[in-house]
């Protein structure tokens, strides 16, 4: 294991002290960051979605902003506005909260589709265009969006094209009994967050992202990924299978996962670990039009490892 | 012992659909209230499984089973026998489904379903039944596969089932043709006794044949091996009547003992043919007038009637040779064939007295001539003969009748005139099936004619009907009746498309019956002889049976191996890995198909820690070869070495 990998392992350990009993999930979130993807967290209010995002930003020393999405929010509230400045007699662009290294888009499905798409466009292009001038977003640029369960009142569900922009969706459920007891006994999470020192620097993160790309994926592994993706396209209950972008994403996250374990090659097991996170929210059920739950896990049971 | 996994709602749904497919042929054959009750119950179950509702409580199942048994008893008046027993069997099968909870129950149900499918041949053995049984077997196999592998793809499992059935087909055919058959079945299907219409050998009343005249059901089918004789020579001989009681002709108990007293001298080339006789629950068999040889298991009476040793309860196939013209030489004068009641029919006797002046041969011709000029008419609906002297009433008053009237009164007339005479019943003519090149003889072709005994010729056929209505003999019943008589479709002489379609269907059924259903020990032996195999019990036969089976198995095995070879471009590390999985599967645990190498290795190390080092090394090597930069000789050699050690290590637990 290289020092860089060890540093990220320590990051994970630190995060584990904040979000208790969810190490798999944390590792997945970190893999998403390493694979330069965006993360969608789904869960009930109060299970620690915001804390997770905040802690991740702190550990990696990223500049962190949080935007609470509401139904009357406009794209300008996110991107920023151009204001006339009397002193310099010029229009000046005041960047909005989007211009940060780690953006927490809280309750993204409460905003109107217009605002949602402004954010999602920025996520894909890594730049925004306002009044004819293009503004580059900072590097790295990482969005963590949280979303309430779709059945709740006053939500605008994300269309499938926008769900596809999120590399990984994780579901943050209730903690188990032991973790919850520890939570009740321990100090306030907010205080702990503040006292959290950064473990890796943004520069190290960029290096790590570079290293992840070098992880070797053999022909046999690509066969397996293709078999999985092909299987999603044959499902009867699912409207559309995974896109090629999703397949590429799956490979990248699997690489990040392997890298986290200090390996320089991807194993089918890595793919299996990340597949539900990558695939489930992209497969909309034919019956309800809602993202599937558990379909990816069933697929893993069926598709043989070559 | 672990509990068997519970059946999911989807599997229950599939089992229910399978049950529906399996019981449908039975229900169609029952065609009763039971055929409505059972599908309704099954559909209710289907709906409940669809709604993901739990199984019915046991008390409900008992109630339903009781209701079902009551319906069966109500419909069939019994819970046993062929129909009652089958109905009970399939209803029990369905209620077994209702209480199936676990996979183990599901497996039992699959076996029961196979049995139920087999029993459907007790109803009928036609090609449709064969097709429905094949569909049933496919559904059962698919369902069995779905029970064992619930998460598999439906489509690929369907393909597998079809492939399996296709592979089984040659083996089934080979066994069908070659598997030794018993000369007589060990047990018989209890045939549901139905009142079968047809000729009777007990008594011949006026009207007993004319009531068959509109019956289009098939009596038998005949296939000639050479060119068939003319239609007007096709007299199919059945029961013989020799006693007249004043009103009816009675059949005597056939005299088998004195059958050798007469000898037959054929006067024409013999005709060879095969008859497929429909069951009629009596002993007599039909032959073209007059048989020269008799089939196996049958005897011939002194009256030239062929009798089977048992009642004909199933469709029977036999081959015969007949001569259409003959002379019989008998040892004695058949005086008993002159029997008449003491009194009665005075006018007939009076006319017969006038004939007695002539020599016997002339008496017959004169009587025929008298009939021809007597303004007699051939009709299906003759007036009822009410008087005591019915022969007088017919011959001198009503003068309208069907063949049994003519035959009956002509024989009485002959006896009164001193010529020995008897009545032969049977069938006359037949309809040619162009598709199958055989003749269909229907009940409507039933006929009665007379035989008279002449001193130098023996018994000779005289058909008075041929004098009255020549068209009946030359072209059949439809032509001989006045136009406008309503006839069933198959008896009408003009050919509609529907009729020709039914003829083609008949040809198909005929071939099926001859080559599939009636394929018995004798035919098997014939076939073997043609293949130069002397007997079932011979080394040649064993050679061909065992050789054929092993050849088929070899092809199946070779195709599997070849397919595997073709599918994977086998590299060495994969071969080693397959070997590794085999060794571990034999010793402690099997790899799941969806398990990656690292996860499998960890599981293996947990169950077999002593071998942990070797397993780890092997898997590391494999991962490096397969998922890393590629194979190199050193790694592969090390892997092979670890494999050897693993194979030698004993596994103790």
């Amino acid at each position: 294991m290289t020092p860089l990998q060890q540093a990220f392992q320590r990051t994970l350990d630190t995060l584990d002290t904040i979000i208790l009993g969810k190490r798999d999930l944390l590792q997945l979130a970190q893999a998403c960051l390493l694979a330069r993807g965006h993360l969608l967290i789904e869960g009930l209010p109060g299970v620690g979605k915001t804390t997770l995002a905040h802690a991740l930003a702190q550990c990696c020393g990223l500049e962190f902003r949080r935007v609470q999405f509401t139904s009357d929010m406009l794209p300008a509230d996110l991107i920023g506005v151009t204001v006339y400045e009397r002193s310099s007699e010029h229009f000046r662009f005041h960047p909005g909260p989007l211009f940060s290294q780690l953006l927490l888009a809280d309750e993204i499905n409460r905003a109107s589709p217009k605002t949602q798409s402004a954010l999602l466009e920025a996520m894909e292009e890594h730049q925004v265009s306002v009044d004819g001038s293009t503004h580059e977003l900072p590097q790295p640029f990482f969005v963590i969006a949280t979303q309430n369960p779709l059945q709740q009142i006053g939500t605008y569900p994300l269309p499938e094209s926008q769900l596809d922009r999120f590399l990984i969706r994780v579901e943050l459920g209730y903690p188990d009994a032991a973790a919850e007891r520890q939570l009740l006994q321990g100090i306030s999470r907010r205080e702990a967050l503040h006292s959290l020192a950064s473990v890796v620097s943004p520069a190290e993160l960029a290096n790590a992202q570079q290293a992840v790309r070098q992880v070797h994926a053999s022909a046999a592994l690509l066969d397996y990924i293709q078999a999985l993706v092909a299987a999603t396209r044959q499902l009867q209950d699912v409207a559309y299978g995974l896109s090629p972008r999703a397949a590429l994403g799956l490979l990248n996250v699997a690489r990040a996962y392997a890298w986290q374990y200090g390996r320089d090659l991807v194993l089918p097991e890595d793919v299996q670990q990340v597949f539900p996170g990558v695939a489930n929210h992209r497969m909309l059920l034919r019956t309800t039009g809602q993202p599937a739950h558990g379909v990816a896990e069933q697929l893993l049971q069926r598709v043989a490892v070559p | 012992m672990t509990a068997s996994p519970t059946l999911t709602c989807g599997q229950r749904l599939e089992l229910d659909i399978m049950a529906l497919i399996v019981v449908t042929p039975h229900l169609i054959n029952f065609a009763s209230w039971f055929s409505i009750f059972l599908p309704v119950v099954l559909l209710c179950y289907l709906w409940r499984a669809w709604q993901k509702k739990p199984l019915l409580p046991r008390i409900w199942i008992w109630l339903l089973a009781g209701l079902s048994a009551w319906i069966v008893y109500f419909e069939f008046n019994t819970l046993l026998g062929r129909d009652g027993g089958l109905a009970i069997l399939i209803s029990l099968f369905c209620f077994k489904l209702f209480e199936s909870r676990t996979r183990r129950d599901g497996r039992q149900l699959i076996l029961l379903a196979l049995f139920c499918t087999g029993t459907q041949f007790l109803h009928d053995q036609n090609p449709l039944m064969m097709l429905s049984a094949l569909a049933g077997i496919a559904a059962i196999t698919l369902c069995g596969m779905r029970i064992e592998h619930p998460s598999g793809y439906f489509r690929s499992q369907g393909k597998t089932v079809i492939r399996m059935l296709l592979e089984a087909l040659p083996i089934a055919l080979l066994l069908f043709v070659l598997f030794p058959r018993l000369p007589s079945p060990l047990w018989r299907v209890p045939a549901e006794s139905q009142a079968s219409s047809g000729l009777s050998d007990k008594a011949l009343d006026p009207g007993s044949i004319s009531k068959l005249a509109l019956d289009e059901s098939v009596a038998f089918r005949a296939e000639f091996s050479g060119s068939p004789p003319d239609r007007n020579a096709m007299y199919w001989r059945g029961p013989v009547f020799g006693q007249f009681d004043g009103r009816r002709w009675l059949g005597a108990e056939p005299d088998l003992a004195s059958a050798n007293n007469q000898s037959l001298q054929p006067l024409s080339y013999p005709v060879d043919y095969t008859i497929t006789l429909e069951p009629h629950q009596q002993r007599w068999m039909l032959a073209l007038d007059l048989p020269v040889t008799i089939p196996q298991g049958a005897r011939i009476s002194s009256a030239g009637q062929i009798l089977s040793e048992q009642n004909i309860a199933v469709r029977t196939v036999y081959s015969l040779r007949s001569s259409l013209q003959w002379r019989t030489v008998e040892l004695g004068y058949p005086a008993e064939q002159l029997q008449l009641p003491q009194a009665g029919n005075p006018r007939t006797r009076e006319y017969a007295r006038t004939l007695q002046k002539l020599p016997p041969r002339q008496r017959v011709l004169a009587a025929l001539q008298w009939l021809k000029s007597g303004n007699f008419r051939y009709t299906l609906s003759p007036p009822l003969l009410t008087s005591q002297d019915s022969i007088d009433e017919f011959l001198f008053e009503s003068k309208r009748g069907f063949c049994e009237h003519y035959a009956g009164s002509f024989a009485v007339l002959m006896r009164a005139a001193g010529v020995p005479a008897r009545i032969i019943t049977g069938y006359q003519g037949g309809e040619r099936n162009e598709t199958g090149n055989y003749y269909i003889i229907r009940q409507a072709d039933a006929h009665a004619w007379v035989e008279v005994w002449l001193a130098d010729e023996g018994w000779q056929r005289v058909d008075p009907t041929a004098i009255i209505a020549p068209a009946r003999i030359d072209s059949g019943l439809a032509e001989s009746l006045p136009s406008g008589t309503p006839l069933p479709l198959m008896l009408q002489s003009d050919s509609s498309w529907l009729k020709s379609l039914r003829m083609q269907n008949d040809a198909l059924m005929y071939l099926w019956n001859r080559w599939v259903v009636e394929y018995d020990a004798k035919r098997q032996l014939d076939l073997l002889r043609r293949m130069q195999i002397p007997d079932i019990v011979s080394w040649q036969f064993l050679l061909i049976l065992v050789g054929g089976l092993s050849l088929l198995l070899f092809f199946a095995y070779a195709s599997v191996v070849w397919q595997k070879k073709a599918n994977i471009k086998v590299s060495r590390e994969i071969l080693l890995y397959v070997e590794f999985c085999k060794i571990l599967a034999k010793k402690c645990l099997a790899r799941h198909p969806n398990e990656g190498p690292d996860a499998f290795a960890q599981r293996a190390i947990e169950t077999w820690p002593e071998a942990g080092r070797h397993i780890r090394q092997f898997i590391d090597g494999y991962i490096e070869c397969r998922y890393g930069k590629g194979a190199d000789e050193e790694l592969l050699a090390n892997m092979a070495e670890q494999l050897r050690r693993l194979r030698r290590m004993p596994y103790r637990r």
Side-chain angles (χ1 to χ4, degrees):
Chain A
M1 222 179 236
T2 64
L4 201 54
Q5 283 164 333
Q6 281 165 0
F8 275 89
Q9 209 59 44
R10 278 201 309 280
T11 316
L12 217 49
D13 295 339
T14 318
L15 283 174
D16 206 23
T17 62
I18 305 289
I19 310 286
L20 298 166
K22 302 266 184 203
R23 196 179 168 97
D24 294 349
L25 222 144
L26 294 173
Q27 189 167 5
L28 206 57
Q30 199 191 50
C32 183
L33 182 65
L34 289 170
R36 305 183 198 214
H38 303 290
L39 180 68
L40 180 64
I41 308 178
E42 199 173 295
L44 293 165
V47 289
K49 300 190 290 282
T50 315
T51 316
L52 168 62
H54 205 154
L56 201 58
Q58 286 272 22
C59 283
C60 302
L62 296 176
E63 183 196 347
F64 172 75
R65 290 238 178 85
R66 170 182 172 165
V67 183
Q68 184 71 38
F69 277 47
T70 56
S71 56
D72 58 351
M73 200 169 159
L74 291 174
D77 296 334
L78 201 59
I79 296 168
V81 284
T82 311
V83 182
Y84 180 73
E85 258 186 15
R86 186 176 286 235
S87 56
S88 62
E89 297 189 344
H90 275 294
F91 283 98
R92 226 188 98 162
F93 179 66
H94 288 260
L98 192 61
F99 289 82
S100 60
Q101 288 175 317
L102 195 157
L103 176 71
L104 172 62
D106 226 350
E107 305 195 18
I108 189 172
N109 56 344
R110 291 222 182 271
S112 62
K114 193 177 177 180
T115 315
Q116 286 177 0
S117 58
L119 169 66
L120 294 159
E121 195 188 330
M123 280 163 55
E124 189 65 17
E125 308 298 333
H126 283 237
Q127 62 184 24
V128 285
S129 303
V130 187
D131 297 337
S133 56
T134 303
H135 304 272
E136 286 284 330
L137 291 174
Q139 281 293 338
F141 176 65
F142 184 49
V143 175
I144 298 180
T146 72
Q147 144 164 276
N148 295 326
L150 294 170
Q151 293 79 13
Q152 287 195 351
I153 296 169
T155 56
Y156 298 91
L158 294 176
E160 55 264 55
S161 62
Q162 304 197 344
L163 280 172
D164 201 27
R165 305 279 166 86
F166 288 101
L167 184 56
I168 284 183
R169 182 192 68 169
V170 293
E171 278 172 57
L172 207 53
Y174 295 114
D176 57 28
E180 196 161 27
R181 170 60 68 93
Q182 213 181 336
L183 184 78
L184 293 174
Q185 285 171 342
I187 54 161
S188 151
R189 297 294 116 185
R190 205 163 291 280
E191 281 173 30
L193 262 180
H194 282 302
S195 60
L196 209 60
S198 74
V199 184
V200 289
S201 68
E204 279 174 322
L205 179 62
N207 284 343
Q209 284 176 338
Q210 201 60 41
V212 162
R213 293 200 168 182
Q214 310 299 325
V215 174
H216 177 73
S218 70
L221 186 97
L222 296 183
D223 283 346
Y224 182 54
I225 288 183
Q226 279 189 306
L228 278 174
V229 171
T232 65
R233 293 170 190 162
Q234 284 175 3
L235 286 175
Q236 307 219 322
D237 311 341
V238 172
Y240 305 104
L242 293 191
S243 62
R245 171 160 57 188
L248 199 59
L250 179 61
L251 177 60
N252 284 336
V253 186
R255 275 184 168 139
Y257 219 78
W259 186 83
Q260 284 175 325
Y261 279 116
R263 260 188 274 111
D264 60 351
L265 51 87
V266 190
L267 283 183
E269 283 88 337
D270 300 322
V271 178
Q272 290 177 348
Q273 292 286 331
V274 300
F275 184 64
V278 174
N280 264 338
H281 66 289
R282 294 170 208 255
M283 292 190 289
L284 300 188
L285 292 180
R286 216 177 269 281
T287 45
T288 58
Q290 301 285 317
H293 290 269
V295 175
E297 286 83 345
Q298 284 175 20
L299 265 181
L300 285 177
Q301 295 285 319
R302 287 189 201 172
V303 178
V305 173
Chain B
M1 180 155 163
T2 53
S4 184
T6 316
L7 291 176
T8 63
C9 285
Q11 285 172 327
R12 281 167 51 201
L13 206 73
E14 285 155 6
L15 279 171
D16 187 85
I17 293 171
M18 175 203 79
L20 270 172
I21 295 175
V22 166
V23 300
T24 302
H26 284 284
L27 297 180
I28 291 174
N29 272 289
F30 287 139
S32 67
W33 282 109
F34 183 68
S35 319
I36 298 172
F37 168 73
L38 211 57
V40 167
V41 173
L42 282 175
L43 287 175
C44 287
Y45 182 89
L46 189 78
W47 181 76
R48 282 182 67 86
W50 181 263
Q51 299 284 320
K52 302 207 181 338
K53 292 195 177 163
L55 291 174
L56 283 175
R58 187 146 292 196
I59 180 79
W60 269 96
I61 298 175
W62 279 103
L63 279 176
L64 277 173
L67 179 67
S68 158
W70 182 78
I71 291 179
V72 170
Y73 191 78
F74 175 77
E75 285 284 341
F76 303 106
N77 291 323
T78 172
L79 298 181
L80 301 171
R82 190 191 76 184
D83 284 355
L86 279 182
I88 283 292
L89 176 77
I90 64 169
S91 64
L92 287 181
F93 162 65
C94 291
F95 294 118
K96 175 71 196 162
L97 164 70
F98 280 34
E99 58 168 24
S100 294
R101 278 166 211 286
T102 60
R103 188 181 288 182
R104 187 170 160 276
D105 291 336
R107 288 182 192 140
Q108 277 182 355
L109 208 64
I110 296 287
L111 294 180
L112 279 176
L114 283 173
F115 185 71
C116 282
T117 300
T119 56
Q120 79 184 46
F121 290 111
L122 296 184
H123 292 289
D124 205 337
Q125 299 165 350
N126 59 30
L128 265 179
M129 275 295 179
M130 186 70 200
L131 286 181
S132 69
L134 277 180
I137 287 172
I140 293 166
T141 319
L142 183 59
C143 211
M145 200 173 270
R146 300 283 301 164
I147 282 185
E148 301 301 330
H149 306 286
S151 56
Y153 285 116
F154 190 82
R155 200 179 295 173
S156 72
Q157 284 177 337
K159 274 183 196 161
T160 312
V161 166
I162 291 173
R163 210 194 61 222
M164 278 166 64
L165 290 182
L166 285 180
E167 282 167 359
L169 202 64
I171 298 179
L173 276 178
L174 187 79
L175 288 178
F176 176 82
V177 174
L178 291 183
F179 195 80
R181 280 159 192 268
L182 295 172
S184 62
L186 283 177
W187 50 276
R188 277 185 185 281
V189 181
E192 294 291 298
S193 54
Q194 314 148 331
S196 60
S197 64
L199 294 174
S200 154
D201 56 358
K202 299 289 178 294
L204 181 71
D205 300 311
S208 60
I209 291 186
S210 53
K211 75 169 191 277
L212 294 177
L214 294 180
D215 185 352
E216 59 174 357
S217 64
V218 174
F220 62 99
R221 294 177 177 83
E223 190 173 351
F224 292 93
S225 50
S227 63
D230 288 340
R231 190 196 149 86
N232 57 16
M234 276 197 235
Y235 280 84
W236 305 96
R237 190 182 181 95
V240 179
F241 297 90
Q243 265 193 316
F244 185 63
D245 71 351
R247 184 161 182 86
R248 305 190 302 166
W249 282 87
L250 300 176
E253 189 59 28
D255 181 8
L256 295 170
S258 61
N260 296 331
N261 286 358
Q262 67 174 16
S263 65
L264 176 73
Q265 293 182 352
L267 296 179
S268 67
Y269 285 110
V271 180
D272 290 309
Y273 53 99
T274 303
I275 285 183
T276 310
L277 184 59
E278 297 292 319
H280 54 58
Q281 318 296 346
Q282 298 177 59
R283 285 178 62 196
W284 49 266
M285 295 161 84
L286 290 154
L288 206 58
D289 217 12
L290 207 58
V292 182
T293 62
I294 53 171
Q296 271 188 341
R299 305 175 70 181
I300 190 161
S301 77
S302 57
Q305 183 181 354
I306 297 181
L307 287 158
S308 155
E309 275 164 11
Q310 278 133 11
N311 281 355
I312 309 260
V314 291
R315 190 177 289 121
T316 311
V317 181
Y318 55 92
S319 293
L320 279 175
R321 166 175 289 187
S322 285
S323 177
L324 299 179
Q325 289 172 351
W326 67 90
R327 237 173 67 162
T328 62
V329 182
E330 283 186 57
L331 298 179
Y333 177 72
E336 72 281 0
Q337 303 295 8
L338 282 170
Q339 169 272 337
L340 277 179
Q342 290 297 320
N345 297 314
R347 294 176 70 182
T348 309
R349 286 170 196 263
E350 192 191 317
Y351 172 66
R353 256 193 300 282
T354 64
L355 291 176
Q356 277 177 356
K357 289 173 288 201
L358 303 166
R361 193 174 176 70
Q362 296 304 318
R363 293 175 207 168
V364 178
L365 294 176
L368 286 176
Q369 188 59 39
W370 177 72
L371 279 181
K372 194 171 186 177
S373 57
N375 197 21
F376 283 88
R377 285 197 25 219
Y378 183 69
T379 169
L380 253 184
S381 45
L384 202 61
L385 303 175
T386 49
S387 80
Q388 199 65 31
D389 301 322
S390 56
I391 303 291
D392 279 3
E393 190 184 354
F394 170 68
L395 282 180
F396 297 98
E397 284 161 31
S398 73
K399 297 194 173 186
R400 285 160 189 214
F402 203 59
C403 56
E404 73 268 29
H405 296 87
Y406 290 103
S409 21
F410 190 78
V412 170
L413 186 62
M414 284 297 106
R415 285 189 174 188
V419 181
R422 62 189 183 197
I423 292 188
I424 317 296
T425 56
Y427 298 85
Q428 201 283 324
E431 187 180 12
R432 190 178 150 83
N433 187 321
E434 300 293 338
T435 322
N437 195 21
Y438 59 94
Y439 283 81
I440 302 175
I441 292 91
R442 300 177 187 282
Q443 295 297 352
D445 294 316
H447 192 51
W449 61 93
V450 179
E451 271 184 352
V452 296
W453 190 85
L454 300 171
D456 49 348
E457 293 174 71
W459 288 105
Q460 288 298 329
R461 181 173 65 223
V462 178
D463 188 357
T465 313
I467 305 296
I468 310 295
R472 164 70 183 86
I473 307 303
D474 291 333
S475 40
L477 183 68
E479 296 296 314
S480 60
L481 291 172
S483 60
T485 315
L487 287 172
L489 174 74
M490 295 310 282
L491 299 182
Q492 286 166 14
S493 56
D494 52 337
S495 51
S496 65
W497 62 269
L498 190 59
K499 184 172 171 179
S500 76
L501 203 66
R502 280 180 65 173
M503 284 306 246
Q504 296 200 351
N505 178 43
D506 192 278
L508 180 72
M509 296 298 254
Y510 178 71
L511 286 178
W512 172 263
N513 282 327
R514 274 205 66 183
W515 294 110
V516 180
V517 181
E518 317 290 348
Y519 183 77
D520 55 8
K522 188 173 162 297
R523 273 163 185 266
Q524 188 176 35
L525 205 59
D526 285 349
L527 191 75
L528 290 181
R529 296 249 163 85
R530 222 175 289 167
M531 291 160 68
Q532 310 296 329
I533 298 168
D535 201 358
I536 296 273
V537 194
S538 67
W539 63 268
Q540 289 104 323
F541 176 77
L542 263 173
L543 192 75
I544 198 163
L545 185 64
V546 174
L549 275 180
S550 40
L551 203 67
L552 282 175
L553 287 178
F554 171 76
F555 274 126
Y557 178 75
S559 77
V560 167
V561 168
W562 180 77
Q563 247 178 4
K564 269 193 178 162
K565 283 238 167 94
N567 279 350
I568 311 170
K569 284 179 244 105
V570 193
S571 50
R572 252 187 85 196
E573 71 267 16
I574 296 177
L575 282 179
L576 285 170
Y577 186 57
V578 169
E579 190 60 31
F580 171 79
C581 293
K582 263 190 204 160
I583 290 172
L584 281 187
K586 218 183 281 174
K587 295 211 172 183
C588 51
L589 86 167
R591 184 177 83 97
H592 303 310
N594 63 340
E595 202 171 25
D598 197 46
F600 177 51
Q602 270 173 23
R603 224 157 50 88
I605 292 169
E606 275 165 32
T607 39
W608 193 11
E610 304 89 67
R613 202 164 55 88
H614 304 301
I615 294 176
R616 192 71 257 171
Q617 279 198 24
F618 179 88
I619 285 293
D620 284 348
Y622 172 67
I623 287 176
E624 192 53 45
C625 292
R626 189 89 201 278
Y627 296 102
K629 301 286 185 281
D632 73 56
E633 275 310 312
E634 199 179 329
L635 268 175
L636 286 172
N638 185 33
M639 279 165 71
E641 172 61 26
Q642 304 302 333
L643 208 57
R644 258 193 298 284
R645 292 201 182 152
L646 274 177
R647 194 178 287 135
R648 277 201 298 267
M649 268 184 86
Y651 173 70
R652 288 193 200 86
R653 180 51 44 106

